[in-house]
Amino acid sequence: MRRFVAGNWKMNHGPVEAAHFIEALPPLTDLRCVTVIVFPPAISLPAARAALGSSSSISLGVQGVHGEASGAFTGEIAAGMAAEAGATYALVGHSERRTLFHETDEETGGKVAAAQLAGLTPVLCVGERINERKEGRLEEVIVRQLDAVLGSEVVGDRIRAGVAFLLAYEPVWAIGTGKEATPSDASQAHAILRRRVGHWLGSDRARELPILYGGSVTPANARGLLAAEGVDGVLVGGASLDPGSFARIVELARELC
Ligand code: PGA
């Protein structure tokens, strides 16, 4: 079974450090069944691309895109520009974007559409806050976030037509806190999401849709999470900043193939 290991560097590793990271990465061998993606800051994409070389088995992604293809949006990055700079994936709806930058469910829908239009594979992040979880609203929250994207006819039609799309379940209370979800918490949320994907896209597409878990993944807990029912990969923040620990997580994924 194919597994995904993605590293979200957030606002870390500028162009010089990005190149150093890639030079320091231990060789990742036999990646036939593991897709490895790194999300550097957008400004580091060209340096990362150059350091990887053209034959690399590591893909690059952008951490965020604007919903429009161009225009008067000072400071923003269009999906097509990220593609030109070497990205093939785009994170959309990360909880830090939703919370710190007030991105709405509607905006995530527009960003997924823009990423698809530019040929990037969107990785839609959804997840509940701790108070929502305690109030028993896990399903309500993650389904609402998913529906805002898959309920769009244009996005749904593209995915049904075969355009790639990934989902990441990232409980907000687990991000950057050192308190990862248990493998069974992850499986439970992934099952909810997969059922809902089936509602929009049909059960065949739902069965094969990769759903990654993210939130305090480390080399110490990655094996259990990667082996959990319905978990197709991990989205790693803090532990992806160190080449050795990122490579170790990739290795753990490879061992499970
Ligand atoms: P973390 O971040 O691994 O540092 O918790 C995960 C993420 O935000 O994608």
Side-chain angles (χ1 to χ4, degrees), residues 71-144:
F73 303 104
T74 301
E76 290 293 296
I77 292 165
M81 298 171 185
E84 259 181 61
T88 49
Y89 290 83
L91 284 183
V92 180
H94 189 280
S95 68
E96 285 153 18
R97 299 298 316 172
R98 294 180 191 265
T99 307
L100 303 174
F101 301 97
H102 312 294
E103 282 186 16
T104 62
D105 290 340
E106 288 64 36
E107 280 168 323
T108 62
K111 287 174 184 227
V112 165
Q116 288 178 326
L117 204 59
L120 301 179
T121 298
V123 182
L124 175 69
C125 305
V126 300
E128 82 288 5
R129 297 167 196 232
I130 190 64
N131 62 313
E132 293 165 334
R133 185 174 188 86
K134 285 185 176 154
E135 290 160 12
R137 295 169 53 212
L138 163 71
E139 175 155 1
E140 173 204 318
V141 172
I142 62 178
V143 163
R144 187 200 76 222

Side-chain angles (χ1 to χ4, degrees), residues 180-211:
E180 79 276 11
T182 64
S184 82
D185 288 337
S187 291
Q188 183 205 5
H190 286 218
I192 292 169
L193 290 170
R194 214 176 284 286
R195 230 181 4 255
R196 193 63 183 170
V197 170
H199 165 82
W200 291 110
L201 303 176
S203 53
D204 286 354
R205 199 73 180 81
R207 206 172 311 115
E208 71 196 24
L209 181 83
I211 308 181

Side-chain angles (χ1 to χ4, degrees), residues 223-249:
R223 186 195 299 272
L225 288 161
L226 282 161
E229 176 74 29
V231 175
D232 303 294
V234 285
L235 178 52
V236 189
S240 74
L241 293 175
D242 174 69
S245 69
F246 186 63
R248 180 69 193 129
I249 296 170

Side-chain angles (χ1 to χ4, degrees), residues 6-10 91 94-96 125 168 170-180 213-218 234-241:
N8 173 12
W9 290 356
K10 310 190 179 185
L91 284 183
H94 189 280
S95 68
E96 285 153 18
C125 305
E170 295 214 307
V172 180
W173 47 271
I175 294 178
T177 59
K179 290 186 202 136
E180 79 276 11
Y213 165 80
S216 296
V217 175
T218 66
V234 285
L235 178 52
V236 189
S240 74
L241 293 175

